[in-house]
């Protein structure tokens, strides 16, 4: 499959919500800034927000994402969530575990507002476990169109390089399946 011609590519921006652990904060490790710098080299707009608590996480989605979408009205957001995590959910900076059911409830209205086109990238250990959010046969309002994440325990370097590669490939017009393959 060849990359799409320029006029057929999806125009997107990256909206990063990161919630680093206290140790990461101390060492000034920030995946959001690495992603921002990498994607902006391609001319892709990137917004980075930090969410320490569940209330801040919700504000990032309700306020920050809305403001970013208003600034980029003809672009689709790709939601990039960078946290520590496991099969049960995502851990915020203050230690709160945002489980997959809770995250699903936060994402549903966003996906609905985007006409069912939300792409969520979960940069955490076992982030692909978030696929569970869409695995109910009774669900009518899905939380996303697609989820991209790792099934294992990636390193900081692997996630930073991987997601920078993903966004670069999408910017080039690669189909999402090919972009994910290049990322891996």
């Amino acid at each position: 499959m060849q990359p799409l011609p320029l006029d057929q590519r999806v125009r997107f921006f990256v909206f990063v919500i990161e919630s680093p652990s206290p140790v990461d904060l101390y060492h000034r490790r920030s995946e959001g800034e690495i992603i921002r710098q990498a994607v902006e080299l391609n001319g892709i707009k990137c917004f980075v927000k930090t969410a320490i608590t569940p209330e801040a996480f919700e504000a990032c989605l309700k306020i920050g994402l809305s403001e970013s979408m208003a600034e980029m009205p003809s672009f689709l957001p790709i939601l990039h969530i960078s946290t520590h995590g496991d099969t049960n959910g995502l851990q915020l900076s203050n230690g709160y575990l945002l489980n997959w059911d809770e995250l699903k409830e936060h994402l549903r209205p966003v996906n609905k507002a985007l006409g069912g086109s939300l792409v969520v990238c979960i940069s955490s250990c076992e982030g692909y476990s978030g696929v569970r959010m869409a695995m109910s046969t009774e669900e009518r309002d899905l939380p996303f169109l697609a989820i991209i994440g790792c099934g294992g325990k990636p390193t900081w370097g692997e996630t930073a390089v991987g997601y920078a590669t993903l966004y670069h490939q999408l910017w080039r017009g690669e189909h999402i399946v090919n972009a994910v393959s290049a990322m891996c």
Side-chain angles (χ1 to χ4, degrees):
M1 207 179 295
Q2 294 293 317
L4 292 170
L6 193 56
D7 62 329
Q8 294 178 16
R9 295 179 190 174
V10 173
R11 295 168 25 151
F12 69 93
F13 66 91
V14 179
F15 186 83
V16 177
I17 301 175
E18 67 179 340
S19 195
S21 72
V23 172
D24 295 330
L25 286 168
Y26 175 78
H27 290 291
R28 297 178 168 239
R29 283 189 290 243
S30 171
E31 185 177 271
E33 279 306 304
I34 293 168
I35 295 298
R36 185 190 61 72
Q37 290 173 19
V39 302
E40 287 184 352
L41 289 172
N42 285 320
I44 302 167
K45 184 72 175 166
C46 183
F47 301 88
V48 179
K49 303 295 180 189
T50 302
I52 304 295
T53 65
E55 296 81 13
F57 188 89
E58 185 175 7
C60 287
L61 285 173
K62 287 185 174 177
I63 300 167
L65 183 57
S66 294
E67 290 173 350
S68 299
M69 289 171 62
E71 189 176 321
M72 308 287 292
S74 60
F75 290 72
L76 282 174
I78 294 178
L79 178 60
H80 180 107
I81 302 172
S82 174
T83 68
H84 287 278
D86 60 27
T87 58
N88 299 309
L90 304 175
Q91 186 172 12
L92 301 182
S93 301
N94 71 345
Y96 182 84
L97 180 69
L98 185 67
N99 68 46
W100 299 122
D101 285 335
E102 193 174 353
L103 181 57
K104 174 173 56 175
E105 295 308 314
H106 286 301
L107 296 179
R108 273 187 173 148
V110 176
N111 191 41
K112 187 173 184 174
L114 293 171
S117 62
L118 179 63
V119 174
V120 179
C121 295
I122 299 184
S123 181
S124 74
C125 288
E126 300 171 348
Y128 191 71
S129 296
V131 73
R132 293 185 213 168
M133 293 184 282
M135 293 183 127
S136 176
T137 55
E138 310 83 60
E139 300 291 336
R140 291 190 179 258
D141 295 327
L142 293 173
F144 49 76
L145 171 68
I147 187 170
I148 299 167
C150 184
K153 298 179 185 297
T155 66
W156 273 95
E158 288 169 335
T159 58
V161 171
Y163 283 103
T165 300
L166 173 75
Y167 300 134
H168 174 74
Q169 294 297 317
L170 293 173
W171 172 80
R172 290 184 58 241
E174 289 293 345
H175 187 274
I176 195 164
V177 172
N178 295 342
V180 170
S181 291
M183 170 191 187
C184 292

